[in-house]
Amino acid sequence: MRRLKVVPRVAIFSWAASLGKILSTNNLRKSGIIVLDWCCMCKKCGETVDHLLLHCPIALELWNMVFCLFGLHWVMPMTVIHMFMFSAWQGSFGKHRNIAFWKVVPHCIIWCLWQERNSKSFEGC
């Protein structure tokens, strides 16, 4: 079994996100830090890990664009951990010629969403 070619910090972030342990506003509030509980991407109430990385309209648009590039129809799972458990990410995508690329797609997408969220939150971009 070949290892994925994902940068270690992105792999660790994916692992933390799948466990729901990244510092979303929801998790910050649970830790006692006072922050407004809204998604800076879509400006709606409640930035949970699953909302930010899967269900936010901005995230959904990115996911849908990628799936269209691969010619797939997709129903978004409820949680990040279920998204990573989807068998197609594990290599059962068939005999597609871009299988190595396919396996890193979820890591890249959630990392890009996280970077965009942090740019909007901390740099005003």
Side-chain angles (χ1 to χ4, degrees):
M1 182 172 166
R2 291 182 8 190
R3 297 194 65 166
L4 294 179
K5 295 182 181 188
V6 178
V7 177
R9 103 173 86 173
V10 175
I12 291 168
F13 174 78
S14 297
W15 173 69
S18 67
L19 296 175
K21 301 294 184 186
I22 61 174
L23 294 178
S24 65
T25 58
N26 188 46
N27 285 343
L28 289 170
R29 290 172 63 91
K30 287 178 185 176
S31 299
I33 298 172
I34 300 170
V35 292
L36 292 173
D37 191 20
W38 64 287
C39 175
C40 66
M41 303 282 275
C42 68
K43 310 291 191 253
K44 294 183 181 171
C45 189
E47 183 194 77
T48 64
V49 174
D50 297 323
H51 170 81
L52 179 67
L53 301 177
L54 300 178
H55 304 294
C56 174
I58 306 301
L60 281 172
E61 190 172 328
L62 180 58
W63 283 106
N64 287 332
M65 180 186 71
V66 170
F67 291 130
C68 284
L69 290 172
F70 278 93
L72 296 174
H73 298 283
W74 172 267
V75 175
M76 193 58 71
M78 292 299 295
T79 64
V80 174
I81 189 75
H82 287 119
M83 187 262 311
F84 277 113
M85 290 171 53
F86 178 56
S87 64
W89 299 125
Q90 306 303 318
S92 63
F93 186 53
K95 302 244 187 241
H96 200 278
R97 60 187 168 93
N98 293 323
I99 193 71
F101 176 73
W102 174 250
K103 288 182 177 185
V104 299
V105 165
H107 301 279
C108 294
I109 291 175
I110 67 171
W111 181 253
C112 289
L113 289 166
W114 183 248
Q115 294 298 308
E116 182 65 22
R117 178 258 191 196
N118 287 341
S119 292
K120 288 180 181 266
S121 293
F122 303 116
E123 299 170 13
C125 297

